[in-house]
Amino acid sequence: MHAYTHTEPVCGLVILAAGASRRMGHPKQLVKCWGETLLNRCLRIAREAGLDKGVLVLGAQAARIRDSLPADVFPVLENADWAEGMASSIRCGLRGLLARYDQLDAVILLVSDQPFLEPGLLRDMVRVYRETGKKIVYCRYEVGQGVPVLFDRSLFDQLDRLQGDTGARPLIKAHLQQSTAVYFPLGNRDVDTEQDLDDLMLQYGKGGPPPGIKSVPDA
């Protein structure tokens, strides 16, 4: 049973953007895609989804990335241990988030390099969490599964103990019976290399992706 009784769950947000973008060769957070940087697009979509209790975790080239951010950005945290991998940024982000907002029902972990992310997907995740009572809501791609992923407050301690570069996958695997998914078919289309970006431009042109990404509870 939830510790809180809100009509709508109060969900915090941790945007993970601390990586070194080694395959890209320069910060992919600053790569322009359809008229805005990948990171600024992610920040805008989070706001449009109604997620206003969030933090942004930076690491590699943090000062350069900070200079590109909009004035209304979420509080920015710098993860000094970013080289350890994704888990260190999750710990940094979660601790910073809870220091600011302690009455949260859940947290959504988000990365900045998924160009097909849409506000409706994030809203669907919160809705599915509310309606199913599951402790984890992850995204099922056309190929594979992963972020964004929502974790109930009861799992915060376990998130805070994650280690290494595997992110939260071990936690999802350990709690499959308490998990469900929304469908994010193009979630596996991230931007890790210049070729990834070229492929997006070739496929969709300067107009960007098709409007709206259908997300439904997993069968």
Side-chain angles (χ1 to χ4, degrees), residues 22-42:
R22 292 185 178 89
R23 294 176 62 193
M24 179 67 74
H26 53 88
K28 63 182 175 181
Q29 299 93 328
L30 302 183
V31 167
K32 284 286 186 73
C33 184
W34 301 311
E36 58 189 335
T37 69
L38 285 170
L39 180 53
N40 285 354
R41 172 182 169 80
C42 179

Side-chain angles (χ1 to χ4, degrees), residues 10 13-15 36 52 87 92 101-102 105 111-113 134 146 148 152 157 184 208 217 219:
V10 180
L13 180 72
V14 173
I15 299 176
E36 58 189 335
D52 59 358
C92 175
Y101 312 105
D102 59 350
D105 294 300
V111 295
S112 62
D113 64 343
K134 295 290 188 179
D152 180 78
D157 286 346
F184 182 16

Side-chain angles (χ1 to χ4, degrees), residues 153-169:
R153 185 183 182 94
S154 62
L155 298 174
F156 285 3
D157 286 346
Q158 295 180 54
L159 279 173
D160 194 51
R161 293 196 296 269
L162 290 173
Q163 300 289 325
D165 198 30
T166 58
R169 287 190 183 93

Side-chain angles (χ1 to χ4, degrees), residues 13 30 73 76 86 98 107 124 184 202:
L13 180 72
L30 302 183
V73 70
V76 176
M86 184 73 77
L98 293 176
V107 64
D124 275 356
F184 182 16
L202 181 63

Side-chain angles (χ1 to χ4, degrees), residues 118-155:
E118 292 288 344
L121 175 75
L122 300 177
R123 288 192 291 264
D124 275 356
M125 293 180 72
V126 177
R127 176 183 57 78
V128 169
Y129 168 66
R130 182 189 70 233
E131 292 177 355
T132 66
K134 295 290 188 179
K135 303 298 185 184
I136 300 174
V137 181
Y138 61 91
C139 286
R140 181 169 59 88
Y141 309 150
E142 192 169 51
V143 178
Q145 62 191 42
V147 289
V149 58
L150 178 153
F151 290 94
D152 180 78
R153 185 183 182 94
S154 62
L155 298 174

